[in-house]
DNA sequence: TCACGACCATCAAGTGTTTGACAGTGCTCC
DNA sequence: GGAGCACTGTCAAACACTTGATGGTCGTGA
């Protein structure tokens, strides 16, 4: 009896680490999106605001590199957040053509609320895993990212 | 001296498990996309072909549910793969309006090549981690997905 | 028998993102 | 000082996906 699944491709193709990784990330991202919606924020908005908060004065291009998206995508998000008064574009002190990104007070406010939501999800996960295994998971994930990045 | 980063949001907002998860998934996905490109396949194409291979005769709607996308997205992918002769739409034996999805020989061939690529990435990761930690990581990721899904 | 409901597939419109191309600005080396 | 270069920001077109809505097909129960 020939089992086709085990002939054509690797036998354990369905329970690979990369699949588990994808499923987990997809589920977490979906939950983030769902809980952030009442705040009028998409997960990408939160990520952008958090990045700017972490490194004020960031440029759009640099931000694009960190978030693994194109500068246009960043520009689109920035335009939306700016129109809401949550983000501010200032002229770079040296390069006149470059513009720094800064949070406004409203931006800080919505980020604070959003981060409480995200922290809640984080707590839900780490609570289910326990502190030791959480740290372990974080370490393993970092090593995976490091391993894959070298190429 | 007041450190703004530690006032506004959680202090360790940057090294959360969810961030590490996102970074790792992003890196892996980017690598998949990069190495699949020479085959003319996107990662989503590979995922779809693999799903159909795993469960032949799948319908578009069922596939959409499994991949967490809308039926339209599936239809778009299916149309492309069908135009390349890698996928086949057959009439459902009972429901005449429903169509089953099956791989063609060309589809099996390209899937075999693609899976070798993916298996290589998997090996690269598990090789860097070792068998024990790989299994550990997979278990932890599954638990995360499970924890998050319940809501 | 036949109306009702569930499900599948598809069309149309809107949104978000990428790809490709282009102009503006500051730095560096000749 | 000026040419070349690297980098930033933006525009236009193409692409992928979602939301909303429509028509087709089967099974169920009055």
């Amino acid at each position: 009896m020939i089992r086709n699944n085990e002939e054509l491709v690797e036998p354990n193709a369905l329970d690979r680490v990369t699949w588990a990784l994808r499923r987990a990330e997809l589920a977490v991202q979906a939950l983030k999106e769902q809980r952030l919606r009442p705040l009028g924020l998409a997960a990408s908005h939160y990520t952008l605001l958090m990045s700017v908060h972490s490194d004020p004065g960031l440029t759009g291009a640099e931000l694009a590199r960190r978030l693994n998206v194109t500068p246009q995508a960043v520009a689109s998000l920035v335009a939306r957040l700016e129109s809401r008064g949550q983000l501010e574009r200032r002229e770079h002190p040296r390069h006149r053509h470059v513009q720094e990104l800064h949070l406004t007070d409203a931006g800080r406010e919505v980020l604070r609320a959003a981060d409480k939501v995200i922290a809640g999800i984080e707590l839900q996960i780490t609570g289910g895993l326990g502190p030791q295994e959480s740290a372990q998971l974080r370490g393993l994930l970092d090593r995976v990212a490091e391993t894959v990045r070298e190429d």
Side-chain angles (χ1 to χ4, degrees), chain A residues 16-131:
Chain A
R16 292 194 172 125
V17 170
T18 55
W19 275 62
L21 179 61
R22 179 164 178 74
R23 272 200 307 269
E25 160 66 7
L26 231 60
V28 168
Q29 203 62 18
L31 183 58
K32 281 186 182 178
E33 211 76 57
Q34 174 190 328
R35 294 210 185 155
L36 244 35
R37 181 161 316 224
L39 293 169
L41 237 60
S44 53
H45 295 154
Y46 164 76
T47 306
L48 196 154
L49 289 178
M50 182 60 88
S51 298
V52 173
H53 169 261
S54 172
D55 281 326
L58 222 53
T59 69
E62 176 61 24
L63 203 42
R65 280 190 291 270
R66 296 195 185 186
L67 305 184
N68 279 315
V69 294
T70 58
Q72 280 84 346
V74 170
S76 172
L77 293 175
V78 166
R80 169 160 310 210
L81 292 172
E82 190 186 23
S83 74
R84 292 187 194 163
Q86 295 167 347
L87 200 61
E88 196 180 21
R89 281 195 277 199
R90 298 187 200 158
E91 187 178 82
H92 193 287
R94 303 173 64 97
H95 299 255
R96 202 159 38 128
H97 191 240
V98 179
Q99 39 204 355
E100 294 183 334
L101 298 176
H102 292 271
L103 261 59
T104 65
D105 289 341
R108 267 180 285 272
E109 189 57 40
V110 72
L111 177 58
R112 188 200 312 266
D115 193 60
K116 266 169 68 178
V117 171
I118 301 297
I121 295 177
E122 175 82 6
L123 188 63
Q124 181 175 339
I125 294 173
T126 56
L129 257 52

